[in-house]
Amino acid sequence: MMTPETAVIPFWPQGPVWPMLVLIWPLLIGALAGVPGLREKPIRLLPLAPLPALLLALARPADATTQAPDVLLGVILTTDTLGLTLLGMTAAIWLAAGLYAIAYMKAPRKPAVFTGFWCLTLTGNLGVFLAADAVTFYVSFAAVSLAAYFLVVHDGTPKALRAARIYIALAIFGEAMLLIGFVIAIAGSDSLAIADLRATLTAPAGEGTLHPAAQGLAIALIIIGFGLKAGLMPLHLWLPLAHPAAPTPASAVLSGAIVKAGIIGLIRFLPEGAVDTGVLLMVIGLASAYIAVLLGLTQSNLKAVLAYSTVSQMGLVIAVIGAGIAASDPQALLAAGYYAMHHGFAKAALFLSVGLLAVTRGGARIALLAGIALLGASVAGLPGTGGALAKAAVKPAFDGFALMLVTASGIGTSLILLRYLVLGARVETQAPHPPALMAGPVIAMGLCALILPWILWSVFDPRPLGYLAGVGALIDGIWPILVALLIAGIALSPPLAGRIRGPAIPEGDIAAPLERGAIRLIRAVTEMEPPVPQAHEWRRVLRVIAPAEALERRLLPWRVSGLVILALIIVVALASA
Amino acid sequence: MTASALALALILTAPLFGALAAMLMGRRGPAIALATIIATAAGTLILLVIIATEGAVHLAIGGWEAPLGIQLRADGLAGGFIATTALVMGAILAVAAKPFAGGKTERRSAYTFWPLALLLWGALNAIFLSGDLFNLYVGLELLTLVAVALVGIEGKRETLAAALRYMMFALMGSLLYLLGAALLYAAHGTLDIALLAERVGSAPGDIVAAAAITGGLAAKTALFPFHAWLPPAHSGAPAPASAMLSGLVPKASFYILLRFWFEAAPDLAGSGVLMLLGGLGAFAMVYGSLLALHQDRLKLIIAYSTVAQLGYLFFIFPLAGGESAAQPWAAGAWSGAIFHALSHAMAKASMFLCAGLIIEAIGHDRLPGMKGIVRALPMTVFAFALAAITLMGLPPSGGFTAKYLMMTASFAAGQPFWALMLILAGLLAAAYLYRPLALAFALPDEDAPAPKAVSRARQFAPLALALAAILLGILSAAPFAFIQIGRPGAAVEGLE
Amino acid sequence: MIASIFDLTLCLVILAAAGAATLGRDAFMAVVFYIVYGILIAMAWLRLGAIDVALAEAAIGAGLTGVLLLAALARVARKAGKEPASAASVPATTIATALAALVITIGIAYAFLTLPEPQGLQGHVAENLAASGAENPVTAVLLNFRGWDTLLESIVLLAALLGIWTLAQDEAWGGRAGLRHVTRPGSVLAQFGRILPPIGLLVGVYLVWAGSKQPGGAFQGGTVLAAVWIVTIMAGLMQAPRVADRALRAALVIGPVIFLALAVAGIFAGAFLVLPPAHAGWLILAVEAVLTLSIAATLAMLVFGPPEPEEKR
Amino acid sequence: MVLSASLLYGLCGAALIGLGLYGFVVHRRLIRRVLAFNVIGSGIFLLFGAAAYRDPVAGSDPVPQAMIITGIVVALSATALALALIVAHARLARSDALPEDDRSGDPDEGRP
């Protein structure tokens, strides 16, 4: 577990230093936010934080390992293709969101706190793409997961407080599940390297390997932990709550970059060849892709619509991962990363555009809406866009009915993004002139989504690009969008417009009934009257503790405690004998 | 004169000299404490370097080897506890300098606090370095009397009752420990731990001795169900005293328990005893956490948290022993428990110091009054949050490393129950620490009185402690390697 | 040595006295029985050939502890008001406790009966006695072989005193220790107080001086000196010192300070607390002398208790 | 079996410990507990000393004797502090028992 060699300078990493710097730099920036003098305008520091990561991704160094044996239990970082690509995407999104935040958050509530936790979240988000050992990965994942709480809660409104409460409860639950899963695998493999953990989870039963039940449990816990972050249904409920509650730049990183931490986790940790697991993920993923669209169409909050779109898209990515695991197909896992990259850029641009809609009118407004439409089409897979490439890359992982479902999911994607477009067009303008710092990041993210997949195609897919120009590919790309336009046209046509009302599903769909159910359950157990005064709720809920309190009173008199001590001695002696 | 003898002499005598000087010169307490901190820290640094470079240090006091004389032994374990103690005491005394300042005329509490605090430090160091069960008894008694006195230092009716209650447990605990030691000497003619290791188990009565020692030390460590004295005692003392009592004092008796089972009597441990101790620990964990959830005063929450956190120190026993003999992960359990003891010492002391500063600012520690305190005491609340991270076992804190090591040991030993309890412990800690934290960050009430100002310099001490607990996790590889120096064989091979 | 009828009788009487002291109804009588019990235990020690322990037990275990208990009883009775009401029935915990205590007694007896062949350290002590600087083996162990224990122990006494002082009321701080004792001039105690000090002083000093060769030593001698001081003050011949008194404080700490300094100086002779054999004799005597002073002062202050405010008449 | 003196005093010590433990636990009045504490202590010392006196040839072992003297002083210190605490507590609480023990007084006190 420990590497015995120690460098001359304590804690100095072995191997390339840059990946280490990528993680340390944002922490330093975050710490600067507390320094008097900088504390007044710390938001301005935000764009600096992801720069080393972006440079690393652009430099695309050879696959190398950095080790810092004195940090944690021995940090190991690698720079492989998938990790670097997603690292670059993540850094770019955080950079864009950071620039956007300078203009958007003129008077934030707690600028220093926001900046500090922004940087901490960023560090964790970058770390998951570089980590090659389980502890570093876990620490990074916990950082991105838990620190993001402060981004969600930042506005301090009752809505934000509720969203943050649900978010942190789920995040801690996910962390706990993940930790158990990791530790089972670590105990089984006697190693911290992620590659060894993967191997342990599918190693055939035998001497020195994990019991199959333990393997299954570890895999299940890992899926719950990462699925929660990636919005896998039914663990998605935090997304539609947290995304609208957070300030817009934070929503963009949450949806564009942070959910990808769950995706990389699934890719890195789930062992190839686990057929049952793969098929299960595929089924849940595809189901998520469709159900999320239906839920999203009922929403009227712009960000909630986008959040459901993210859930749907992540469902698709998880299905790809499932297919890749079931078929032991590393190409599919790479393709999943490629798809996630495109989605990250597109979704970041769409989220950031929410803030832009309120400050544009006239020609700029029309251009913005056109851009949104184009991005939506890209996500849906319109030929010629980056999204079409992403779709094309993941399709080989499927066949038969599943392939049809994947292709047809474009209908849903188009519909939900049309819903966004329609709602977006209705946003009222408050100020006519968009600041360049807000417009620039949106345009940059949009361009990245449309263009970058072209540049990186050859890295992720061995097939020639010409394949995409085939008639079949073109038709598959276009028909779902046409169907969606048709449906939308009918729905918005004069006879029907305004008459179709879906059921009013609250943001976070099952979150509200779950919350109510939990409260009801606690009330039933504690025999409380339904209308509870807010201030005393906490104490009443804790009635369950009454037996412990009673025991405490029983133990306090020395006659009891002293007797118990005497009894313990006798028991210890008898137990030793 | 060797460097190691000098280092040991400094560590052992500087706090005692300091205490005697403070007793003599009533109003110079803070200055004497500063000198003591410097001298002890110097000795500690020298000792750490020697242990790290040359391995464990043994020193026969007066030149008399065992069994005639008392042996001092400074291995990685001792070094870790001494260094942590120095750090924690340094921070505590820094914060205490203001409320217990000398002043023009001598005040009672300002006079007695300093010698008592320094004696507490001296007793801890004496215990951590001793390799002799009877010498440990004298050290333990010194520690106990000082701790009882510190509990009662406020002189209120409730604190005196708490001190008396503590005294009952402590007296019973010391007597039982002494009984065990007497029986061991009668049977084996020595109380030197290293020599006992070769002899214990040969006499049938050793079981009685081990039971008495275990019961006595468990009562002193406040293991459930012997914890009833702890919450009122720890919450009633002034904050710097609480920090010592909660962060350091129970660790001393636990440390002796470790030395006894892992070094003097590893062969004596039956699986029944190990399971019993672990089971009581698990119960303590759940029970302490639930009661912590129910408290409305910050110091009581922190004190009940100590009951819970001390509970999972005892997971070391089932995890290090049991069925799977000679498993390499027993060392994981051993190291994990020590990491937990050290990081808890720092985090808990930090929390109590934070609570003290909050009381200074708002005059009490009732939770509702803490609303929005972050505006007045940003550094304190930040320190509290960092300490909370350690207590919850969230990464990258020392508490996380501890939890991770113990969990891995638990799964590797085929006893996943303990791992699940550790996870549950983390979740419960998150639940009971969420409330004070959420209140601290909330908007203050309109009509709330403005908190009194507390100087930044004093807020720095708890922050430093909380940061140290986090650093213990971030840089855990070096301390991990350090505590393995001179590690007893039983830590690897398992008890029994 | 085979037990004689005397031993058997002594043990039975000891148990009877202990039973009366622990189980008896009246608290005052319990303390009286405890003092008797302490003297009987001292006799048992004589029978076991441990004269040093017998002296310590008589002086400290029976004498001082008894005085402390009586004083506490008197002070509590003044403050606590009525005796607690009695309960009619014996609760289950009482029976359970009796059973548990019985089981533990049997366990200890079992452990004692099954002890392996004795392997004491008599040989080791005898071998090194010449180098220790003391002729009395117990003194050699206390002040040289296990001097670190003794050093810590002298500090334990101070810790207890600090603990007692910290129980003082704030307004009384700095005043004279303990209650004012008003003794009529010419009373028995006053007479006694005049006669006792010279004799007591002699006995105390002798005990310390003899300690290095024969039974006796700093703790026993210190106790006698403390007793002298206590009686003198109770007789009204002297006033108890003020707790803030510089001389008093110096007397309290001088013994441990010198002992500690000696321990540190030992590292120049090789290790912590080394007494070079050539100088060990006078070093031990010197340490015993200052320790006796400190112990006497500490013990007396323990008995006086914290400074108390003037009682309202 | 011939009863040796050391055996007799050792068993006597064991009995004192049991007696003291019982008294220490059941008494509600704190002073009585302190008294019982001292009985347990001297019982342990007696047991310790008797064990050291078993070897008829070598004579009594001085090491336990020294330890016992140390132990006696330590016990005295603890007793003194405990009694002072009891007095201080009684001054404020008007009772020489702890509040949780004070409901019905000591059954061993004043029972008819």
Side-chain angles (χ1 to χ4, degrees):
Chain A
M1 190 157 39
M2 255 10 83
T3 343
E5 289 171 51
T6 8
V8 183
I9 306 171
F11 314 123
W12 191 254
Q14 301 159 8
V17 180
W18 197 256
M20 206 70 198
L21 187 67
V22 164
L23 300 182
I24 294 171
W25 176 255
L27 290 178
L28 293 178
I29 298 282
L32 277 182
V35 176
L38 288 166
R39 207 163 40 205
E40 285 65 41
K41 297 267 181 194
I43 297 283
R44 291 183 181 186
L45 296 169
L46 293 184
L48 295 176
L51 289 180
L54 197 58
L55 288 177
L56 179 71
L58 290 175
R60 306 197 73 79
D63 201 344
T65 304
T66 305
Q67 285 186 310
D70 290 322
V71 182
L72 296 175
L73 288 164
V75 169
I76 309 173
L77 305 176
T78 55
T79 46
D80 62 352
T81 305
L82 181 64
L84 271 188
T85 306
L86 291 176
L87 182 84
M89 172 209 75
T90 300
I93 292 175
W94 281 87
L95 174 61
L99 289 167
Y100 188 94
I102 296 177
Y104 180 81
M105 305 184 70
K106 296 240 169 55
R109 273 182 71 229
K110 295 168 183 165
V113 172
F114 186 80
T115 309
F117 283 104
W118 175 281
C119 292
L120 184 57
T121 314
L122 167 62
T123 309
N125 204 355
L126 298 173
V128 293
F129 300 118
L130 291 172
D133 71 283
V135 172
T136 309
F137 191 97
Y138 184 80
V139 171
S140 306
F141 194 81
V144 66
S145 209
L146 302 179
Y149 166 81
F150 292 89
L151 306 186
V152 177
V153 82
H154 178 261
D155 280 352
T157 58
K159 190 179 158 192
L161 290 175
R162 170 170 176 259
R165 205 163 48 229
I166 291 177
Y167 175 80
I168 194 73
L170 285 174
I172 289 182
F173 170 75
E175 289 299 317
M177 297 303 110
L178 208 54
L179 182 60
I180 304 177
F182 275 22
V183 167
I184 292 176
I186 291 168
S189 67
D190 201 356
S191 161
L192 290 175
I194 293 175
D196 294 337
L197 302 195
R198 269 164 74 114
T200 301
L201 291 178
T202 41
E207 191 64 27
T209 59
L210 275 179
H211 190 274
Q215 288 178 340
L217 179 65
I219 290 176
L221 292 171
I222 287 173
I223 290 177
I224 292 175
F226 288 132
L228 212 147
K229 186 86 347 192
L232 180 66
M233 276 194 170
L235 304 170
H236 68 286
L237 46 95
W238 65 272
L239 280 111
L241 290 169
H243 290 191
T248 293
S251 314
V253 293
L254 273 169
S255 208
I258 292 178
V259 292
K260 307 301 184 295
I263 297 295
I264 190 80
L266 289 170
I267 295 177
R268 290 268 204 246
F269 281 86
L270 288 183
E272 289 170 19
V275 179
D276 298 345
T277 311
V279 171
L280 182 72
L281 280 184
M282 218 159 93
V283 171
I284 301 180
L286 286 174
S288 297
Y290 281 87
I291 298 171
V293 166
L294 292 178
L295 292 169
L297 286 175
T298 67
Q299 301 299 315
S300 49
N301 180 308
L302 284 170
K303 287 187 189 173
V305 172
L306 287 180
Y308 275 108
S309 160
T310 298
V311 175
S312 162
Q313 289 293 304
M314 288 304 104
L316 214 55
V317 174
I318 289 170
V320 177
I321 295 171
I325 289 167
S328 296
D329 178 8
Q331 181 56 42
L333 295 181
L334 270 182
Y338 182 66
Y339 192 96
M341 173 200 70
H342 167 262
H343 172 260
F345 283 125
K347 200 45 72 66
L350 288 172
F351 261 106
L352 293 181
S353 72
V354 173
L356 209 50
L357 281 168
V359 289
T360 48
R361 72 173 168 211
R365 183 61 166 274
I366 291 165
L368 177 62
L369 289 173
I372 290 173
L374 183 60
L375 275 177
S378 177
V379 176
L382 181 73
T385 60
L389 275 68
K391 272 261 161 68
V394 300
K395 276 183 181 171
F398 300 96
D399 52 13
F401 183 59
L403 179 60
M404 210 194 79
L405 282 180
V406 172
T407 309
S409 72
I411 304 174
T413 310
S414 312
L415 278 175
I416 196 167
L417 292 174
L418 274 170
R419 169 89 184 148
Y420 173 70
L421 194 62
V422 170
L423 289 175
R426 292 187 202 149
V427 171
E428 282 175 23
T429 307
Q430 288 155 350
H433 296 296
L437 272 179
M438 279 170 75
V442 176
I443 295 166
M445 289 295 99
L447 289 178
C448 282
L450 295 172
I451 295 166
L452 264 182
W454 288 95
I455 299 170
L456 292 174
W457 171 266
S458 60
V459 181
F460 283 89
D461 202 312
R463 293 171 297 177
L465 263 174
Y467 154 81
L468 291 168
V471 179
L474 287 175
I475 290 175
D476 275 353
I478 290 173
W479 73 259
I481 298 176
L482 290 177
V483 172
L485 285 173
L486 191 65
I487 297 173
I490 294 169
L492 295 174
S493 62
L496 287 175
R499 301 230 178 134
I500 305 177
R501 288 212 180 269
I505 296 176
E507 292 165 15
D509 52 274
I510 55 170
L514 276 180
E515 223 180 350
R516 278 199 300 274
I519 291 176
R520 238 177 246 150
L521 182 73
I522 292 167
R523 282 179 186 170
V525 171
T526 57
E527 294 170 356
M528 289 191 307
E529 294 302 312
V532 185
Q534 188 68 30
H536 299 294
E537 200 151 22
W538 181 259
R539 283 194 71 95
R540 296 265 191 123
V541 163
L542 290 169
R543 278 279 168 80
V544 276
I545 297 171
E549 290 258 292
L551 181 59
E552 185 77 346
R553 278 193 299 276
R554 293 297 296 268
L555 281 173
L556 195 57
W558 170 246
R559 297 178 64 124
V560 179
S561 297
L563 176 58
V564 174
I565 297 179
L566 299 187
L568 180 83
I569 298 162
I570 298 171
V571 173
V572 170
L574 292 179
S576 309
Chain B
M1 184 179 79
T2 60
S4 60
L6 176 69
L8 290 175
L10 271 177
I11 293 169
L12 287 174
T13 59
L16 299 180
F17 269 128
L20 296 173
M23 202 172 168
L24 194 61
M25 293 176 275
R27 286 174 290 120
R28 299 266 177 275
I32 292 167
L34 180 64
T36 308
I37 291 171
I38 293 168
T40 316
T44 305
L45 282 179
I46 301 172
L47 183 69
L48 291 185
V49 170
I50 292 173
I51 295 175
T53 53
E54 294 166 23
V57 176
H58 290 255
L59 183 94
I61 293 186
W64 307 109
E65 294 290 339
L68 185 59
I70 298 165
Q71 311 304 304
L72 293 180
R73 21 176 317 170
D75 50 10
L77 179 61
F81 274 91
I82 285 174
T84 305
T85 304
L87 189 68
V88 172
M89 286 302 295
I92 291 172
L93 296 181
V95 173
K98 180 152 179 275
F100 295 105
K104 284 232 167 101
T105 52
E106 190 178 282
R107 288 181 302 133
R108 173 193 58 90
S109 60
Y111 170 68
T112 51
F113 173 82
W114 294 101
L116 285 172
L118 294 172
L119 280 183
L120 185 117
W121 192 355
L124 286 169
N125 284 350
I127 289 170
F128 294 143
L129 285 174
S130 180
D132 183 281
L133 288 184
F134 187 79
N135 185 248
L136 281 169
Y137 167 74
V138 183
L140 202 53
E141 282 299 272
L142 180 57
L143 181 69
T144 303
L145 294 189
V146 170
V148 168
L150 282 171
V151 169
I153 202 167
E154 294 255 334
K156 298 195 201 98
R157 185 162 60 89
E158 299 78 34
T159 64
L160 292 177
L164 272 169
R165 208 175 280 130
Y166 177 24
M167 187 101 199
M168 293 304 128
F169 281 88
L171 289 181
M172 178 70 111
S174 348
L175 284 176
L176 291 171
Y177 177 85
L178 181 65
L179 171 65
L183 285 174
L184 285 177
Y185 184 91
H188 307 295
T190 183
L191 284 174
D192 183 74
I193 289 175
L195 290 179
L196 275 177
E198 301 157 14
R199 306 181 190 177
V200 164
S202 59
D206 286 350
I207 290 169
V208 180
I213 287 178
T214 307
L217 291 176
K220 287 207 176 212
T221 316
L223 173 64
F224 177 90
F226 314 129
H227 67 283
W229 58 270
L230 187 148
H234 287 192
S235 63
S242 305
M244 290 179 236
L245 292 167
S246 218
L248 298 172
V249 173
K251 306 297 178 345
S253 41
F254 177 74
Y255 178 90
I256 301 175
L257 212 49
L258 275 191
R259 287 270 189 224
F260 178 75
W261 280 110
F262 279 84
E263 293 174 39
D267 302 329
L268 219 52
S271 59
V273 182
L274 301 177
M275 283 296 158
L276 177 71
L277 289 174
L280 289 178
F283 209 100
M285 191 280 286
V286 176
Y287 178 89
S289 302
L290 286 179
L291 283 168
L293 270 172
H294 205 193
Q295 304 307 316
D296 276 335
R297 281 183 46 213
L298 183 61
K299 283 178 94 178
L300 273 173
I301 293 179
I302 307 174
Y304 272 108
S305 154
T306 299
V307 172
Q309 303 266 334
L310 290 174
Y312 48 104
L313 280 178
F314 284 82
F315 289 8
I316 189 175
F317 292 103
L319 288 179
E323 306 310 309
S324 48
Q327 22 108 352
W329 289 103
W334 190 81
S335 314
I338 292 164
F339 256 91
H340 179 55
L342 300 184
S343 55
H344 175 255
M346 299 176 199
K348 194 46 68 73
S350 166
M351 269 196 177
F352 265 118
L353 292 181
C354 290
L357 295 177
I358 289 172
I359 291 173
E360 276 183 36
I362 61 175
H364 62 87
D365 68 339
R366 290 185 298 279
L367 279 192
M370 279 179 64
K371 228 173 167 192
I373 192 76
V374 69
R375 278 149 198 268
L377 299 171
M379 270 168 89
T380 304
V381 174
F382 185 51
F384 190 92
L386 283 182
I389 285 175
T390 300
L391 292 192
M392 294 178 204
L394 289 178
S397 65
F400 168 71
T401 309
K403 194 154 88 175
Y404 156 78
L405 287 169
M406 287 169 95
M407 278 180 75
T408 320
S410 144
F411 280 111
Q415 303 180 39
F417 171 76
W418 308 110
L420 297 182
M421 293 311 285
L422 286 168
I423 289 290
L424 183 63
L427 293 178
L428 284 170
Y432 64 69
L433 292 171
Y434 174 82
R435 211 154 48 111
L437 276 174
L439 277 173
F441 281 106
L443 287 172
D445 289 332
E446 301 272 317
D447 52 349
K452 278 196 216 99
V454 175
S455 78
R456 267 177 194 280
R458 296 180 64 221
Q459 297 188 50
F460 182 74
L463 182 61
L465 277 184
L467 279 173
I470 299 278
L471 276 180
L472 192 62
I474 294 179
L475 305 177
S476 48
F480 180 92
F482 184 82
I483 58 171
Q484 309 301 321
I485 298 169
R487 174 186 68 188
V492 190
E493 288 146 23
L495 293 170
E496 214 175 354
Chain C
M1 195 178 78
I2 296 162
S4 64
I5 297 292
F6 176 78
D7 291 317
L8 199 61
T9 318
L10 182 59
C11 280
L12 288 176
V13 178
I14 285 175
L15 285 174
T22 42
L23 308 176
R25 270 187 239 154
D26 184 67
F28 179 78
M29 283 313 289
V31 175
V32 172
F33 273 115
Y34 176 76
I35 295 170
V36 173
Y37 161 83
I39 292 161
L40 293 169
I41 285 276
M43 287 171 72
W45 285 115
L46 286 176
R47 294 293 296 167
L48 289 170
I51 304 163
D52 298 86
V53 182
L55 279 174
E57 180 68 43
I60 300 173
L64 265 183
T65 309
V67 168
L68 282 171
L69 282 166
L70 283 175
L73 209 55
R75 292 184 196 186
V76 165
R78 209 168 30 235
K79 309 227 161 83
K82 270 186 266 173
E83 295 266 306
S86 67
S89 64
V90 179
T93 49
T94 309
I95 300 165
T97 308
L99 274 176
L102 185 66
V103 172
I104 290 174
T105 307
I106 294 170
I108 298 168
Y110 163 79
F112 192 81
L113 289 169
T114 54
L115 282 179
E117 283 303 298
Q119 38 180 334
L121 295 176
Q122 295 94 325
H124 285 91
V125 174
E127 252 171 58
N128 296 298
L129 196 56
S132 73
E135 287 169 43
N136 177 2
V138 177
T139 306
V141 176
L142 272 177
L143 283 154
N144 199 336
F145 304 143
R146 297 186 68 95
W148 180 226
D149 279 349
T150 311
L151 175 47
L152 284 177
E153 167 200 1
S154 65
I155 293 173
V156 169
L157 274 173
L158 287 182
L161 180 62
L162 281 168
I164 291 172
W165 279 1
T166 201
L167 295 168
Q169 284 148 284
D170 282 320
E171 63 272 21
W173 186 249
R176 297 192 182 279
L179 290 168
R180 306 287 171 283
H181 291 274
V182 188
T183 311
R184 275 177 290 113
S187 71
V188 179
L189 191 57
Q191 296 297 334
F192 186 48
R194 252 185 268 282
I195 303 163
L196 184 74
I199 304 171
L201 268 172
L202 268 176
V203 174
V205 171
Y206 171 77
L207 277 172
V208 179
W209 179 74
S212 63
K213 299 179 191 66
Q214 292 149 14
F219 289 99
Q220 295 89 335
T223 312
V224 173
L225 293 183
V228 169
W229 196 12
I230 293 165
V231 169
T232 314
I233 287 169
M234 282 173 75
L237 299 177
M238 252 174 98
Q239 278 197 306
R242 296 183 178 279
V243 291
D245 189 295
R246 271 294 167 94
L248 170 70
R249 289 184 181 174
L252 291 172
V253 300
I254 178 108
V257 164
I258 299 251
F259 205 169
L260 264 179
L262 193 62
V264 175
I267 62 174
F268 296 98
F272 186 60
L273 235 171
V274 162
L275 304 180
H279 304 285
W282 70 266
L283 281 176
I284 285 184
L285 205 59
V287 168
E288 284 217 276
V290 285
L291 265 187
T292 306
L293 178 63
S294 290
I295 288 167
T298 313
L299 291 177
M301 298 309 290
L302 286 181
V303 173
F304 295 150
E308 295 196 21
E310 293 281 347
E311 294 235 326
K312 290 180 192 85
R313 298 273 153 81
Chain D
M1 181 181 145
V2 182
L3 188 66
S4 73
S6 87
L7 193 58
L8 177 69
Y9 286 108
L11 292 179
C12 182
L16 289 175
I17 296 170
L19 203 57
L21 282 175
Y22 171 80
F24 192 20
V25 173
V26 299
H27 278 296
R28 288 209 163 90
R29 296 191 64 181
L30 291 159
I31 291 184
R32 301 299 302 271
R33 289 192 200 157
V34 174
L35 197 155
F37 158 80
N38 277 287
V39 172
I40 306 174
S42 58
I44 294 173
F45 298 141
L46 194 59
L47 183 88
F48 199 4
Y53 188 61
R54 281 176 304 151
D55 194 340
V57 187
S60 194
D61 183 351
V63 175
Q65 292 189 34
M67 289 178 182
I68 290 165
I69 292 174
T70 304
I72 289 173
V73 175
V74 168
L76 173 84
S77 312
T79 303
L81 178 58
L83 290 173
L85 266 170
I86 292 167
V87 171
H89 177 256
R91 186 183 66 221
L92 297 173
R94 304 250 145 229
S95 162
D96 64 344
L98 284 172
E100 66 269 19
D101 297 324
D102 203 12
R103 67 198 151 82
S104 63
D106 197 318
D108 302 308
E109 300 280 332
R111 191 159 6 111

